[in-house]
Amino acid sequence: MPELPLIGRARQHANNVAFRSVMTSHTYQQLLDRSATLAAALLGEADDLNEARVALLVAPGPEYVASQWAIWRAGGIKVPICLSATEPEWEYSLTDSGASAVMADAPMAAKIAPLCQRLSVRLVNVDSIAAATTKVLPEISPDRRAMILYTSGTTSKPKGVVTTHANIQAQIESLVTAWEWSAADRIPLFLPLHHIHGIINVTSCALWSGATIEPFAKFDAASILDRVRADAYTLFMAVPTIYVKLIQSLEAASPADRAAFVAGFKKMRLMVSGSAALPASVHEQWTALTGQKLLERYGMTEIGMALSNPFHGERRPGAVGVPLPGVEVRLKTEAGKIITGEDEPGEIQVRGPGVFRAYWNRPEASAESFDDGWFRTGDMAVIERGYYRIMGRLSVDIIKSGGYKLSALEIEAALLEHPDIRECAVLGLPDDTWGEAVTAVVVLKSDATLELPALREWCKGRLSVYKIPHRLRVLPELPRNAMGKVTKPAVRALCS
Ligand code: MCA
Ligand code: AMP
């Protein structure tokens, strides 16, 4: 059996630059060699990891990809975890996935070492593996499980989305075809590498194509604009919050700087927005400022990308276009009718080779999420003049903030541990920068007082930074229905 196609693709581009930064560059051959060394270290005496889960905690860059490929080439399942997560969040991912090892770079290894020790999980510090060792690597069939990505949803704790090598390949090939990726492309990477926007849309599509990635530790408008003015990129992919932040930076720049930045943006062959709704006003402002028409697309961790405005043709503000190559999409009403015409809303359901296999260790949730072989996204949409338009989500408990999908229930569970909070309801309220702002509506215990800064401080170490409430409302009581259950639409109405 041949090796994994993505490794074969890398061999075809062996001498191309895969990663470039100000000080260094790495070719595809260097990534291949390094991943073979790391795979040998992971395997030790074993011949095959046989789908053992290996958590990945490495900063974005060549070492992240070499570690990812090492896990795959050794036969393991990669579980990327958030670099800035709290210890309880890491612990949840490691225990839920049953990880047997964590691969970390030196700074992250120092942070996670006590947890690994407590959980008896092997810690592999990639920075301490220098010698190039070789070992015969196992053959990996495409239907082996490759990755578990944790995603928040309608349950309090995140669920692990399991994809196979074949799923990942289908997700990559669809985008490479639709957006005409080539080895001549150069793209900045500033999105986190524990979600598919960064892993698949940016990194994996680039590496499949022989293109060059410029990694950043995180999004920082000034550093990215510096490189944009130097014409460093042909492609750009970001969440709406990043475009809002870039608009603010462009507006604050001197006329000469702004002209230089705009010239850099103008030259790119494609700029994409996704992960959350791009307000039509932001789309139009971006075009007015830079002359670029953003391409908005729609996707989800469980399915990869499903809908996209066209690379050639009309990119309509407020719409997400049509199904991507290899992806089937249908709309279904609550009453169970498949919609065949325009202007009738229904739930988006998706089928195709990129759709995930199952939620990790959750057979019931997995079964419930499919309808006759179609994945139920929980997002509502309508077709208007040939293009899908997203109308919102079926669940009020899912929040999208800064491109991150958050569970209101998970944040509520954390807040209920606060000594002064008796009851709470967490909502995502509209926000110009973040899309939705995490809003805590709380009822306090008698005589208690609570201000937002104190609540945010208390949340640190318990919740990742983007889950920490951005707004706070204190109410004497929460509205309830006849059954005594808190009604979130009524809470929302009180807050608006
Ligand atoms: C950070 N802050 C926030 C939020 N996040 N405040 C309100 N709401 C938030 N969501 C605050 C911090 O507390 C801090 O406040 C200040 O902002 C700066 O924090 P920092 O973390 O440095 O923020 P940032 O770097 O400016 O982050 C913004 C960001 C980041 C770049 C938009 O959130 C990001 O990278 N988002 C992308 C996530 C992503 O990749 N999603 C794709 C998921 P203070 O200064 O007071 O301390 S995949 C997906 O969705 C599907 C598949 C798809 O379709 O792609
Ligand atoms: P995630 O679980 O992080 O993969 O987030 C997937 C969710 O992001 C989808 O179910 C949608 O609710 C949302 N989403 C992604 N792209 C878009 C978009 N272009 N417009 C509106 N919502 C989007």
Side-chain angles (χ1 to χ4, degrees), residues 151-152 195-196 273-278 296-302 320 377 379 390 393 400 403-405:
T151 185
S152 295
H195 284 305
I196 59 169
S273 174
S275 297
L278 177 71
E296 185 176 6
R297 55 56 179 185
Y298 159 89
M300 197 171 178
T301 306
E302 288 87 336
V320 290
T377 62
D379 290 308
I390 311 289
R393 285 175 298 272
K400 263 273 156 157
Y404 284 107
K405 186 174 178 183

Side-chain angles (χ1 to χ4, degrees), residues 153-155 378-380 392-400 405-412 425-429 436-439 485-493:
T154 48
T155 47
D379 290 308
M380 296 290 290
R393 285 175 298 272
L394 285 167
S395 168
V396 287
D397 289 322
I398 294 176
I399 299 171
K400 263 273 156 157
K405 186 174 178 183
L406 312 175
S407 163
L409 305 177
E410 182 187 1
I411 302 170
E412 285 163 8
V426 168
L427 305 170
L429 291 185
E436 289 181 324
V438 176
T439 306
K485 196 173 174 307
V486 172
T487 47
K488 285 214 175 159
V491 180
R492 183 179 287 269

Side-chain angles (χ1 to χ4, degrees), residues 369-382:
S369 67
F370 284 91
D371 173 0
D372 200 17
W374 293 77
F375 176 70
R376 307 177 52 195
T377 62
D379 290 308
M380 296 290 290
V382 61

Side-chain angles (χ1 to χ4, degrees), residues 52-56 77 79 90 93-102 119-122 150 360:
R53 276 74 63 208
V54 180
L56 186 56
I77 299 180
V79 187
W90 278 341
S93 310
L94 296 187
T95 49
D96 187 78
S97 65
S100 59
V102 175
L119 300 179
S120 302
V121 170
R122 177 182 170 206
Y150 278 90
W360 179 255

